Amino acid sequence: MSDLPLPEPVRTDQALDIQHDTDPADEHGNAHRIPHLGHALLFFSLMGFCILVVQVLVLFAVHGFTPPAAMQHPYALAAGLMIGYALTFAIAIPAFRAIWGLPFLRGISWTWRAARLRWWKLLLLGCALSVIAQLLERFIKSPVTSDISQLLRNPLAAWLTVILGTLIAPVVEEVAFRGFLLPALATAYDWLALDRTPAGLHRWLRGADHTLGALIFGTLLSSFAFAALHGTQLHWAIGPLVILFVMSLAFSAVRIRTRSVAASTLVHVAYDALIFVEVAIATAGFHHLDKL
């Protein structure tokens, strides 16, 4: 029999949580509610400023800042948007990482794994929504021309618009509206509806999930803003804007259901891509734009 002393039992309040390899006090601190409305306002302001500055510089370089002549070379506008978006993220990613103390993609709930597991379903859903939207457009009054059609004036501008519309714009819009605005509005709703008691404050500090009412509020208001963003492009035609609002509701539902902005982005990419594929086929690769 060993003469070594028996170890003292560990008290329950001293035992580490087996789900964590660090002190649980560090793991279970106050919940991080990001992004909130201040973050969303900062991101939209940054994006608007970057796009404005880049567009002015591009138009000045190409046209000597003569706005009436700008549409004579619409590829300049598409290129300006691409550069503006790139500048936005070049500044936003390190800035928000510093503000949040978290990687940018984690802060906006990008969650690529959720999208990767369902990628084919998400792409099919996006195509189905695109078909539904185009069928609905047959029964509504649409503007004769739009800003998008103005960009499709020559093959070079058309291909730049395809890249912008299928790969870049959906990513930017999903990050902005489903990554920032939707959760920010939901957080604001929950804060305003919070039970101002010690128990309510404790729940607020210890959890970051949104209530159902907050998610509905965030979805409706962010979808309204999403449709309004495209208002000038569609000359404020009510029918197309209503369709965009409904499609935004669908994108938001995917983002909420999967907890992934990457998932809603895949749906959005497929939605836009199908439209441009149909246009490319109808115009023989944008060589017969008179058929639009």
Side-chain angles (χ1 to χ4, degrees):
M1 183 174 181
S2 173
D3 294 330
L4 294 175
L6 293 175
E8 292 292 331
V10 178
R11 298 201 312 270
T12 303
D13 59 349
Q14 290 180 331
L16 288 177
D17 185 347
I18 61 174
Q19 296 180 0
H20 304 82
D21 57 3
T22 59
D23 187 346
D26 295 331
E27 291 287 335
H28 299 289
N30 293 341
H32 294 284
R33 292 182 177 270
I34 57 174
H36 54 57
L37 279 179
H39 300 145
L41 178 62
L42 178 59
F43 180 81
F44 277 92
S45 298
L46 174 63
M47 182 167 59
F49 176 78
C50 289
I51 291 175
L52 177 62
V53 170
V54 171
Q55 289 282 25
V56 168
L57 292 176
V58 168
L59 292 179
F60 183 81
V62 176
H63 306 291
F65 201 62
T66 53
M71 294 310 297
Q72 298 301 319
H73 297 283
Y75 59 81
L77 297 178
L81 279 175
M82 292 181 184
I83 299 171
Y85 289 149
L87 180 60
T88 299
F89 282 93
I91 298 173
I93 290 174
F96 281 104
R97 182 185 179 93
I99 294 171
W100 294 336
L102 294 171
F104 180 79
L105 294 182
R106 181 178 173 187
I108 63 170
S109 299
W110 180 258
T111 320
W112 177 248
R113 183 175 183 274
R116 181 166 51 83
L117 293 175
R118 308 174 178 87
W119 65 270
W120 64 273
K121 294 180 180 179
L122 297 170
L123 292 177
L124 284 178
L125 176 60
C127 291
L129 290 174
S130 184
V131 171
I132 292 172
Q134 292 179 69
L135 289 176
L136 291 175
E137 286 181 351
R138 295 178 179 272
F139 300 97
I140 63 175
K141 183 178 180 180
S142 300
V144 177
T145 61
S146 66
D147 288 354
I148 296 297
S149 63
Q150 292 294 320
L151 290 174
L152 302 175
R153 288 198 168 190
N154 58 67
L156 174 59
W159 284 112
L160 283 176
T161 303
V162 168
I163 296 173
L164 176 65
T166 61
L167 299 178
I168 299 176
V171 174
V172 175
E173 291 175 354
E174 289 305 307
V175 169
F177 290 95
R178 257 63 71 177
F180 276 90
L181 191 57
L182 191 158
L185 290 169
T187 295
Y189 179 96
D190 277 339
W191 171 249
L192 293 175
L194 180 67
D195 182 14
R196 298 301 197 269
T197 63
L201 182 60
H202 178 77
R203 287 194 299 271
W204 174 267
L205 293 176
R206 296 296 173 175
D209 287 337
H210 297 108
T211 63
L212 177 60
L215 291 175
I216 293 174
F217 174 79
T219 295
L220 291 174
L221 209 56
S222 62
S223 295
F224 178 82
F226 177 81
L229 175 71
H230 299 82
T232 55
Q233 298 176 4
L234 298 171
H235 302 285
W236 298 103
I238 298 300
L241 290 178
V242 169
I243 292 176
L244 278 180
F245 175 80
V246 173
M247 293 302 110
S248 181
L249 295 180
F251 300 154
S252 299
V254 171
R255 183 257 185 267
I256 293 170
R257 179 68 179 83
T258 62
R259 294 175 178 264
S260 169
V261 174
S264 62
T265 300
L266 275 184
V267 177
H268 197 158
V269 166
Y271 175 90
D272 286 355
L274 184 60
I275 295 174
F276 282 108
V277 166
E278 293 175 355
V279 173
I281 293 174
T283 59
F286 304 110
H287 286 94
H288 300 285
L289 295 172
D290 56 297
K291 296 183 178 180
L292 286 178

